[in-house]
Amino acid sequence: MRAGIGYDVHKLIEGRDLILGGVKIPFKMGLLGHSDADVLLHAICDALLGAAGEGDLGRHFPDNDPKYKGISSIKLLEEVKMLLKSKGYSLGNLDASIICQKPKLSPHIRRMVENIALALESEPDRINVKATTTEELGFAGRGEGIAAYCVVIIEKN
Ligand code: MG
């Protein structure tokens, strides 16, 4: 059994779609990034890579590589899953928190969990996604960006 942690932040700007956990969320702003900037999936990928001793997302998917421009982060998560699978690991469990003042994310959490379970070939009850505000404090509270944390346990098959 091995543990990993992931953390990511992306900036909120106008004129971008807001994609979190592979779900397109109706909102006037979206996250800026080279890929679809899915901050939740990036934190999850980093946690999984960390648990497997495989560095981080930037090492595997450089953000200056045109191949990854605008890419769905679900694809990145699937590639991370394949890497772990090739090393004989599968998901024990995953717990993530999204730090977001607006919009309200609770109506979308179930679909995020389903998307993550599908990408990881895992069961939804191994995956927990939460969302919290910061009581309007800091960059997340001012709506300048969204952050995500993730902790995972992986198990050798
Ligand atoms: Mg990122």
Side-chain angles (χ1 to χ4, degrees):
M1 183 175 88
R2 295 172 63 112
I5 182 171
Y7 174 67
D8 196 24
V9 175
H10 281 263
K11 190 174 172 177
L12 273 170
I13 61 156
E14 285 179 13
R16 293 265 303 181
D17 288 336
L18 178 59
I19 315 279
L20 290 170
V23 179
K24 187 172 162 183
I25 294 162
F27 191 51
K28 59 183 191 287
M29 299 172 98
L31 294 172
L32 177 64
H34 184 67
S35 65
D36 65 359
D38 191 325
V39 68
L40 171 63
L41 296 190
H42 293 182
I44 292 172
C45 285
D46 261 357
L48 290 165
L49 290 169
E54 282 290 336
D56 62 22
L57 204 56
R59 183 172 121 194
H60 292 271
F61 311 104
D63 68 5
N64 54 9
D65 188 334
K67 196 164 80 176
Y68 302 118
K69 187 165 163 51
I71 194 173
S72 163
S73 296
I74 287 282
K75 295 264 174 296
L76 303 182
L77 184 60
E78 284 170 352
E79 289 205 31
V80 168
K81 187 265 317 276
M82 293 309 289
L83 175 68
L84 263 70
K85 210 173 171 180
S86 74
K87 295 185 85 175
Y89 290 115
S90 63
L91 181 69
N93 77 297
L94 172 167
D95 188 24
S97 288
I98 310 168
I99 318 301
C100 175
Q101 192 66 41
K102 274 182 193 166
K104 197 167 174 48
L105 299 179
S106 53
H108 308 288
I109 298 282
R110 198 176 55 85
R111 275 180 61 212
M112 294 181 199
V113 169
E114 286 168 3
N115 288 344
I116 296 160
L118 205 64
L120 293 178
E121 293 179 68
S122 189
E123 298 93 43
D125 69 355
R126 292 176 183 268
I127 294 155
N128 194 73
V129 175
K130 314 180 287 301
T132 185
T133 71
T134 57
E135 303 284 336
E136 297 179 351
L137 294 170
F139 72 84
R142 291 188 296 268
E144 295 166 6
I146 297 177
Y149 295 87
C150 179
V151 169
V152 300
I153 297 288
I154 58 173
E155 285 161 351
K156 199 94 179 178
N157 300 322

